[in-house]
Amino acid sequence: MTTLDEAIRITDLKFGWKNDQTTLAIPSLVIEKGSRTFLKGDSGSGKSTLLGIIAGILIPQSGSIEVFQENIVDYSSSKRDKFRAEQMGIIFQMFNLLPYLSICENICLPCRFSKSRARTAKIANGTIEESGKDLLNQLGLDPNIYWSRPVSELSVGQQQRVAAARALIGGPNLVIADEPTSALDTKNRDSFINLLSEITTTHNSTLLFVSHDESLANQFEHIIDLSQINQFSGELIQ
Ligand SMILES: Nc1ncnc2c1ncn2[C@@H]1O[C@H](COP(=O)(O)OP(=O)(O)OP(=O)(O)O)[C@@H](O)[C@H]1O
């Protein structure tokens, strides 16, 4: 059972991309509500897979994944989608911006799927759009220049920041960031992490951050090494 202080509780997780292979076998993992955690692990060790499971995008073969006291494994896929839209802001490794939408439309999208995030954005800045512009500005992109542009015109580092603004709008309870700084220079990377910390602290959001760059780990309260918690030893999933 999860307690009210917990954002995520994973119990007896087993996941394999194919039924006869195990990628993750995690007996137990607990992440406290409001904490900021750095998840590290070698390339290919399963970090993105674990984030996909926590986000309810991937379903494990067995185990329970409780997010804010709800076992999302038991949910239908539409209920999981709704839960994700309400509770989570996700910066995907490949950004997943919608290329046929403008920057403005991409950033404001979560507020179309979540009333509570729309409400929080309006309370913060008057309108959803102003909230998006404020985030974009804080991330170092001038909204006067970029707001109405198609995302296809952006550099990779700029797309990463638009993806971050989309994840943060409306203060979701859980922010999941998969290599969110890989395309940023040092200056933008540091201000990005500061902003992520600031916004998640303001909303008492839980932050789960994945990066190859271990020099970033000291900016987080908790560090989880996937190789320490993943008991996968090559056995088949039973
Ligand atoms: N869509 C997929 N289909 C089949 N296997 C996959 C798929 N995605 C990942 N894998 C496999 O799962 C394992 C874990 O991959 P994952 O992307 O989770 O690792 P990672 O730790 O995030 O790596 P990186 O740091 O390089 O992004 C790898 O062996 C990978 O080949």
Side-chain angles (χ1 to χ4, degrees), residues 17 23 42-49 93 179 212:
W17 281 100
T23 302
D42 292 342
S43 175
S45 62
K47 301 181 298 299
S48 298
T49 304
Q93 202 166 20
E179 302 276 3
H212 276 110

